[in-house]
Amino acid sequence: MARNKERGTPEVSSGSMADIAFLLLIFFLVTTTIANDKGILMQLPPPPEPDQPIVEFQERNIFKILANSNDQLLVEGNPYEKPMSELKMEIKEFILNFGNPDQGGIDTYNSLPSQMKSRAKQSPESSDHPGKAIVSFKANRGTSYELYIDILDAAQAAYNEIYAERVGLTSQEYLELDKSVDVEKRMYEQGKRGIPKAISIAEPDK
């Protein structure tokens, strides 16, 4: 009996527990996928050069869309309650207007298919030509996310439909062109030539 008392109480060694916890932490950091909200995918323009001159735009070259905190629209200064499909068509008409084309605008007009030429207007009160047309959108901080997306989609779709029709494709076919293939890359560039996608998004009002 005296011999058992000398052995003492057996203990489990905890010296390596810190190392094991550290290894587990590293394992979870490496293998865990963190959810990421996608948001709106947009390609921002490069920052302006410090000595870049300020370019002034004619009012008629800007298609203005305003949205307030109640999701009410003001398009070209007038209240707007039409569906987004109508807004898209009006944006297309604005872009394809040749009110006062310079040589670049004339070249763009001559490069259009005959069906697009027949629909192109020449209103002196609207944009000079597609190269100068700008779609401007300004929202309020209270504007709903859904309306914000709908308006951007309408503006993007207007440009994509113009590009696609110009090369005889549907919008979906145009967007699926493989730019790593020379023929498809040329079609993609031909659709956009002379018609830059100019969508200006102003900082929302508070």
Side-chain angles (χ1 to χ4, degrees):
M1 293 297 289
R3 182 179 296 175
N4 290 337
K5 288 181 179 178
E6 290 176 357
R7 289 181 180 176
T9 305
E11 295 180 356
V12 177
S13 175
S14 60
S16 60
M17 292 299 290
D19 294 337
I20 295 172
F22 181 73
L23 289 174
L24 287 173
L25 177 63
I26 295 296
F27 172 77
F28 284 116
L29 286 175
V30 171
T31 59
T32 301
T33 302
I34 300 174
N36 185 22
D37 295 333
K38 288 187 176 179
I40 302 173
L41 296 176
M42 297 188 70
Q43 184 175 7
L44 298 178
E49 299 292 335
D51 56 348
Q52 183 174 338
I54 298 174
V55 179
E56 296 185 359
F57 298 96
Q58 299 286 342
E59 284 288 322
R60 64 176 179 272
N61 286 320
I62 303 174
F63 189 88
K64 296 178 182 176
I65 306 171
L66 301 175
N68 66 14
S69 59
N70 295 320
D71 280 359
Q72 294 170 319
L73 289 180
L74 204 65
V75 176
E76 291 289 81
N78 299 313
Y80 198 88
E81 297 180 351
K82 301 176 187 176
M84 285 296 124
S85 57
E86 289 288 328
L87 179 62
K88 180 185 67 177
M89 296 305 296
E90 292 183 23
I91 293 173
K92 288 176 67 175
E93 288 181 0
F94 168 79
I95 296 168
L96 286 178
N97 189 70
F98 293 84
N100 184 25
D102 54 17
Q103 187 57 51
I106 294 172
D107 293 341
T108 300
Y109 178 82
N110 290 333
S111 70
L112 297 177
S114 57
Q115 289 185 342
M116 295 183 75
K117 284 181 182 176
S118 64
R119 294 201 308 272
K121 295 184 177 179
Q122 298 179 346
S123 171
E125 298 176 354
S126 187
S127 62
D128 290 342
H129 63 84
K132 290 189 175 181
I134 299 171
V135 179
S136 172
F137 173 44
K138 186 173 185 178
N140 185 282
R141 291 189 187 278
T143 303
S144 69
Y145 189 77
E146 289 76 14
L147 181 64
Y148 193 92
I149 295 298
D150 286 346
I151 293 173
L152 288 183
D153 281 348
Q156 295 273 3
Y159 275 103
N160 291 334
E161 288 183 7
I162 290 172
Y163 298 155
E165 185 178 355
R166 197 176 182 190
V167 292
L169 299 175
T170 65
S171 295
Q172 189 64 32
E173 290 171 338
Y174 180 79
L175 293 174
E176 291 177 351
L177 287 175
D178 185 352
K179 292 186 281 295
S180 64
V181 179
D182 289 343
V183 175
E184 297 188 22
K185 182 180 179 181
R186 282 197 292 273
M187 292 180 71
Y188 183 82
E189 293 174 347
Q190 173 59 29
K192 300 179 71 172
R193 188 166 299 143
I195 309 178
K197 185 179 289 185
I199 302 174
S200 171
I201 305 173
E203 184 177 353
D205 289 332
K206 295 181 180 178

